[in-house]
Amino acid sequence: MESVVNSVVELPPVVVNGTSASSVYGLPLVAMNEAAASEVPYTGMEPFRIGPYTNFVNIGERCNVAGSRRFAKLIMAGNYEEALTVAKAQVEMGAQVLDINMDDGMLDGPRAMARFCNYIASEPDIAKVPLCIDSSNFDVIKAGLKCCQGKCIVNSISLKEGEEDFLAKAKMIKQFGAAVVIMAFDEVGQATDAEAKVRICTRAYNLLVTKLKFNPNDIIFDPNILTIGTGMEEHDKYAIHFIEATKTIKWQQHNTHGPVSPNDWLGEKNFTETLKGAKVSGGLSNLSFSFRGMDAIRESMHSVFLYHAIKIGMDMGIVNAGNLPVYDDIDKELLQLCEHLIWNKDPEATEKLLKYAQTTATGGKKVIQTDEWRSGSVEERLEYALVKAETYRKYPWVLAKVGGQVITLPRELKKHVIEDTEEARANKERYPRPLHVIEGPLMNGMKVVGQLFGAGKMFLPQVIKSARVMKKSVGYLIPFMEKEREEMKAVTGNTVDDDPYQGTIVIATVKGDVHDIGKNIVGVVLGCNNFRVIDLGVMTPCDKILKSAIENKAGTYNRMDGRKPKKMDTRAKTNNFIKTIQNITNKYIKKTKGSKSVGDIIGLSGLITPSLDEMIFVAKEMERLSIKLPLLIGGATTSRTHTAVKIAPRYSSPVIHCLDASQSVVVCSQLLDENSKVDFVEEIAEEYEDIRQDHYDSLKCQPPSDGSIHPWLPVSPSEDSKKAILRKEDICLYSKRERKGSILTGILIQFPVKSIEARYGFAGFAIDMIPFFAHFYLEGCH
């Protein structure tokens, strides 16, 4: 099979009416021969050829547990037959390839992928199209490859783990005869600018073609479509970088007429292929993630982006087939706003798009700005300023320098924020200290921002602006806080300088993951709220995270009982973790013995499912080393359920899932507030215990995803069977959970031996408990 799908067909000369033809159907003879030779036959039950004269290929995106709530709910419930309707709808709406993704921390990915692929094989209307096996876990990819008929696409592999790992995975994909998507990641991280994207893709192409003799026509590059319109200037050119990289990857320009623009035209005489045979793809939903919940704007952005990217050489993309408006049918005002945002022509494009959404949502009526809010209390005014930061379009913008960083604020809003902050600070009866203004009305306003963002009523650019308003208010209070500290030092005679920050937050994208845009936004929002942020970047191993936390005194390494660390496991030995941690922590053990934790925080981020396993490992290491500080979990693939079920039980200190950047501010503030910390942590612990119990209860009600029966369900043995099978009531009559703090240390199950002997007529029996341990994600023996 490999020799067939990974070879280029040599075509004989075309002859028409007995003579060699110079052209057929208006196409040059050379072009026809090259086109046929470079056509890629992806297949389901029917062949689907992609070549130089093929239109843009739609890869349906809805069979993705991370991208479709309906699909995820059906898969989690084991309702695979109903989930097939999602796949069928995608094909009917024009998907030429079907993307399947089973990446979820609470799902057995390989088993779910194999089962759904087998279901697809039984439905000819779906099985006729090629499949795109999409996962960040290569075990899931292998499971899908084993169950796919025809020639599929693997999405994806990359150079992030080095060349050896990259080539090993590519070799296996080649053996299955599949095409492969290469992400523009390397050992350093995710490529964001055009030059880095091209460099990484060129390196991957040369490795595949020269070392593995991989068919170039089976190589598909994804140069990373990243989010624009976030409110952060460094993200404004992400769309342009993708288009420029696509142009360079696909074409070598002989007659250069300046940089890429919407009006560039790829004429045959001016361009030849750079990475011959390679295709370009991308996940379109990432582009507009800042406008989550604004479907009309998102779909218009996707249509405008594809209009230009396809002309420049983009071959395929993961899209919601059938939900893309025609470019010429987009409202002219919205079209212009999308063009300006994608091509970074207007620094106010994001705000104008938000305003457009607000006016169209109210029937096209203009939203009138009034100053009625100025009549409320100072607390209400500060909250309003944080929530409505983006609505002050009628005022000219000014530059404000806060903490060494230049930010922009509406002139009138700047004036009101300072006035209201001073009014609150001057109210000594209500706010005796400047810090109380931050902990009171300002944090209450940020809580509202977080609630609105979580409910889809506020969007990422607005959250960034709210954080900047918060930074302005906090910046005004800092001199008063410093003066207060100096006065307290004079009274107490203390000469040690206090930390001016609310707290130190160490954040990192965990080992194996190169995604960092969301983490960077969290860092900006926390920084604007007077937190000291230590950003360790991407692909961060556990030892580096804990080392940084201790060096920066984020929390307390508390070894009050004098116990030595437990023996390090094999994985930690490989990176000399014992030596690294012990050398650092020995400096602090004496200082912290018997002391309380200072309450600083570690934040872990991850976008792909392998990151979840790494987060569990970090939590286990923190527990083993008795590092006592809160652990925040965030990222697109994380969830409250996964955090509660799989991470929190591994660590006795607080483990909290943060849904978004705005929520992280509220969570960090409550964890650092001595008055509210205890109640907040107890509330989270009770909530997570309920989530765990609900999860375990739901497992009892659902059949295993492989169609087998649960080990505890009633089964009637055959008459001639001598092997007794215990019924549910025999086993689950009594159970007791043993706990140490908030950590589940074991489950004690007692069996009614006498009643079992009476029912089955034998005295000796053995029960295999391994299925119980596996099903409830427990480690144990019996």
Side-chain angles (χ1 to χ4, degrees):
M1 182 176 182
E2 178 184 341
S3 61
V4 176
V5 298
N6 282 300
S7 61
V8 178
V9 180
E10 295 293 339
L11 296 180
V14 177
V15 178
V16 180
N17 294 329
T19 59
S20 178
S22 60
S23 66
V24 179
Y25 300 115
L27 296 178
L29 174 59
V30 175
M32 287 192 63
N33 279 330
E34 291 180 351
S38 62
E39 280 187 349
V40 182
Y42 304 128
T43 62
M45 290 180 63
E46 300 175 2
F48 174 67
R49 299 183 181 276
I50 299 177
Y53 298 100
T54 305
N55 290 329
F56 179 79
V57 177
N58 295 285
I59 303 176
E61 69 174 359
R62 305 311 292 172
C63 293
N64 184 331
V65 293
S68 169
R69 290 184 181 178
R70 181 181 174 225
F71 184 76
K73 186 176 181 180
L74 292 170
I75 293 297
M76 292 295 183
N79 194 349
Y80 285 76
E81 292 185 4
E82 184 67 21
L84 283 177
T85 61
V86 178
K88 188 173 183 179
Q90 288 283 282
V91 176
E92 291 173 348
M93 289 192 296
Q96 297 142 300
V97 179
L98 198 61
D99 183 84
I100 304 173
N101 184 298
M102 297 291 179
D103 284 0
D104 188 277
M106 302 308 298
L107 191 64
D108 185 343
R111 181 178 295 179
M113 177 65 76
R115 190 178 182 195
F116 190 65
C117 288
N118 288 333
Y119 267 89
I120 287 178
S122 67
E123 289 289 338
D125 290 341
I126 306 173
K128 66 182 181 181
V129 302
L131 300 183
C132 179
I133 306 301
D134 185 356
S135 180
S136 54
N137 185 339
F138 200 70
D139 289 335
V140 177
I141 289 175
K142 288 190 289 185
L145 286 171
K146 294 175 182 178
C147 299
C148 282
Q149 54 189 349
K151 177 177 178 141
C152 67
I153 301 171
V154 168
N155 184 20
S156 59
I157 62 174
S158 73
L159 285 161
K160 67 180 182 181
E161 298 287 354
E163 292 184 2
E164 184 178 351
D165 176 80
F166 173 74
L167 290 172
K169 291 176 179 177
K171 183 177 181 180
M172 180 174 291
I173 292 169
K174 182 185 177 187
Q175 290 172 345
F176 277 96
V180 62
V181 176
I182 312 296
M183 299 296 296
F185 304 155
D186 64 3
E187 298 87 344
V188 177
Q190 180 174 237
T192 56
D193 61 85
E195 182 180 355
K197 295 174 191 286
V198 173
R199 173 176 48 80
I200 293 172
C201 291
T202 302
R203 177 187 171 198
Y205 181 91
N206 292 332
L207 285 170
L208 292 175
V209 174
T210 58
K211 292 194 175 184
L212 296 183
K213 306 302 180 185
F214 211 95
N215 184 353
N217 297 316
D218 287 338
I219 299 174
I220 304 167
F221 289 113
D222 184 343
N224 306 337
I225 299 178
L226 303 176
T227 306
I228 59 175
T230 62
M232 298 175 66
E233 185 177 350
E234 55 266 37
H235 299 168
D236 291 346
K237 292 186 178 181
Y238 278 168
I240 297 175
H241 289 320
F242 178 91
I243 293 176
E244 288 181 340
T246 299
K247 175 187 175 182
T248 306
I249 290 169
K250 289 300 296 288
W251 308 103
Q252 179 181 352
Q253 188 173 4
H254 300 309
N255 299 323
T256 304
H257 300 288
V260 64
S261 73
N263 299 317
D264 277 349
W265 172 251
L266 302 179
E268 288 184 21
K269 296 181 179 180
N270 296 330
F271 294 85
T272 57
E273 289 183 285
T274 307
L275 304 181
K276 188 173 179 61
K279 308 293 183 291
V280 173
S281 180
L284 208 58
S285 61
N286 293 340
L287 180 78
S288 60
F289 187 76
S290 294
F291 301 93
R292 184 183 58 179
M294 298 181 177
D295 292 342
I297 287 180
R298 296 193 70 178
E299 291 164 5
S300 299
M301 287 177 62
H302 298 166
S303 181
V304 172
F305 179 81
L306 284 179
Y307 175 77
H308 300 299
I310 291 171
K311 288 200 302 183
I312 217 73
M314 186 175 178
D315 300 282
M316 61 187 75
I318 301 176
V319 300
N320 187 358
N323 277 16
L324 288 175
V326 178
Y327 180 85
D328 291 336
D329 292 343
I330 300 174
D331 177 75
K332 298 305 178 186
E333 181 183 358
L334 178 57
L335 177 62
Q336 185 181 39
L337 292 173
C338 291
E339 290 276 4
H340 287 174
L341 180 63
I342 289 171
W343 292 102
N344 194 28
K345 291 182 176 181
D346 184 355
E348 299 297 321
T350 300
E351 287 77 14
K352 290 178 181 178
L353 264 176
L354 291 172
K355 183 179 179 181
Y356 175 88
Q358 292 165 352
T359 56
T360 54
T362 56
K365 296 180 180 179
K366 184 177 181 180
V367 179
I368 301 174
Q369 304 287 348
T370 68
D371 287 338
E372 292 180 2
W373 63 282
R374 298 299 303 159
S375 60
S377 66
V378 66
E379 290 81 7
E380 292 171 339
R381 281 178 268 146
L382 286 171
E383 177 184 316
Y384 187 94
L386 289 167
V387 175
K388 299 295 183 180
E390 84 291 347
T391 62
Y392 287 83
R393 299 273 69 81
K394 66 176 182 177
Y395 301 119
W397 285 71
V398 298
L399 293 177
K401 191 171 184 180
V402 179
Q405 180 180 354
V406 177
I407 62 175
T408 56
L409 287 174
R411 188 183 305 277
E412 192 68 18
L413 181 56
K414 171 191 172 186
K415 173 185 174 182
H416 288 320
V417 167
I418 294 174
E419 287 179 353
D420 294 339
T421 303
E422 170 57 26
E423 182 178 339
R425 187 198 68 82
N427 188 347
K428 296 296 184 181
E429 182 178 349
R430 192 173 182 85
Y431 305 109
R433 301 179 58 194
L435 180 62
H436 294 162
V437 178
I438 298 175
E439 295 175 342
L442 292 179
M443 285 312 306
N444 290 337
M446 289 304 296
K447 287 180 184 178
V448 176
V449 170
Q451 293 167 358
L452 292 174
F453 183 74
K457 298 177 181 179
M458 199 170 182
F459 305 96
L460 187 56
Q462 298 165 315
V463 172
I464 295 294
K465 287 196 174 297
S466 295
R468 287 172 175 167
V469 172
M470 178 77 169
K471 186 176 183 71
K472 181 62 182 176
S473 182
V474 171
Y476 176 79
L477 291 171
I478 284 178
F480 296 99
M481 296 168 67
E482 292 175 346
K483 181 180 179 182
E484 180 186 54
R485 279 195 294 269
E486 293 297 328
E487 292 174 350
M488 291 180 65
K489 286 167 61 177
V491 172
T492 60
N494 184 13
T495 59
V496 179
D497 290 331
D498 294 330
D499 191 345
Y501 295 97
Q502 286 197 63
T504 299
I505 317 295
V506 175
I507 61 175
T509 301
V510 295
K511 181 180 177 181
D513 200 334
V514 297
H515 299 87
D516 64 349
I517 293 178
K519 172 181 63 65
N520 294 342
I521 292 172
V522 170
V524 170
V525 173
L526 287 172
C528 288
N529 285 270
N530 200 37
F531 289 97
R532 178 174 175 237
V533 179
I534 308 296
D535 189 345
L536 301 181
V538 301
M539 299 281 287
T540 312
C542 177
D543 59 334
K544 184 177 179 180
I545 295 172
L546 301 188
K547 176 181 176 181
S548 177
I550 296 171
E551 285 181 337
N552 291 284
K553 301 182 182 180
T556 300
Y557 185 88
N558 199 340
R559 195 53 62 77
M560 294 174 60
D561 55 7
R563 292 184 294 110
K564 294 182 179 180
K566 298 176 184 177
K567 186 178 179 181
M568 178 66 65
D569 62 25
T570 304
R571 181 179 179 185
K573 286 180 180 178
T574 60
N575 53 28
N576 297 318
F577 190 58
I578 294 178
K579 185 176 180 181
T580 304
I581 291 297
Q582 289 182 343
N583 287 343
I584 299 167
T585 55
N586 285 338
K587 301 176 183 178
Y588 297 104
I589 291 177
K590 293 182 179 179
K591 294 180 181 180
T592 61
K593 188 173 182 180
S595 65
K596 295 182 180 179
S597 171
V598 298
D600 293 359
I601 299 162
I602 287 180
L604 303 180
S605 174
L607 185 72
I608 57 178
T609 47
S611 302
L612 301 177
D613 295 332
E614 183 67 19
M615 291 175 180
I616 295 173
F617 175 71
V618 173
K620 290 168 66 176
E621 287 304 293
M622 292 173 69
E623 179 66 22
R624 190 190 65 80
L625 291 165
S626 297
I627 298 178
K628 306 295 183 183
L629 65 158
L631 180 63
L632 302 188
I633 304 296
T637 194
T638 62
S639 67
R640 281 197 316 160
T641 301
H642 181 272
T643 302
V645 174
K646 293 195 174 184
I647 302 180
R650 308 282 186 173
Y651 185 49
S652 56
S653 291
V655 180
I656 302 173
H657 177 252
C658 285
L659 182 65
D660 51 63
S662 59
Q663 190 184 58
S664 65
V665 176
V666 178
V667 171
C668 290
S669 297
Q670 290 185 291
L671 288 172
L672 297 177
D673 186 347
E674 292 298 330
N675 296 323
S676 64
K677 177 180 178 180
V678 175
D679 292 340
F680 177 67
V681 170
E682 289 180 354
E683 181 182 343
I684 292 293
E686 292 175 2
E687 178 185 352
Y688 283 8
E689 177 61 30
D690 292 340
I691 292 173
R692 281 191 289 272
Q693 194 58 52
D694 290 343
H695 173 70
Y696 296 141
D697 291 343
S698 69
L699 291 178
K700 296 177 185 178
C701 301
Q702 297 176 11
S705 58
D706 61 355
S708 63
I709 60 171
H710 281 304
W712 58 79
L713 294 181
V715 179
S716 298
S718 59
E719 294 181 359
D720 58 348
S721 173
K722 296 180 181 181
K723 182 178 179 181
I725 302 178
L726 301 183
R727 299 186 299 182
K728 180 180 179 181
E729 55 266 30
D730 292 327
I731 297 177
C732 298
L733 290 179
Y734 176 80
S735 65
K736 176 182 177 183
R737 291 173 178 255
E738 296 180 347
R739 287 189 171 276
K740 180 181 179 182
S742 62
I743 299 181
L744 181 65
T745 58
I747 297 180
L748 174 65
I749 302 178
Q750 294 183 349
F751 299 91
V753 177
K754 292 184 179 180
S755 63
I756 293 175
E757 290 177 357
R759 178 176 295 135
Y760 296 108
F762 65 93
F765 60 91
I767 300 173
D768 183 7
M769 295 298 293
I770 291 177
F772 280 91
F773 298 138
H775 195 76
F776 285 102
Y777 310 105
L778 297 174
E779 296 178 0
C781 58
H782 66 285

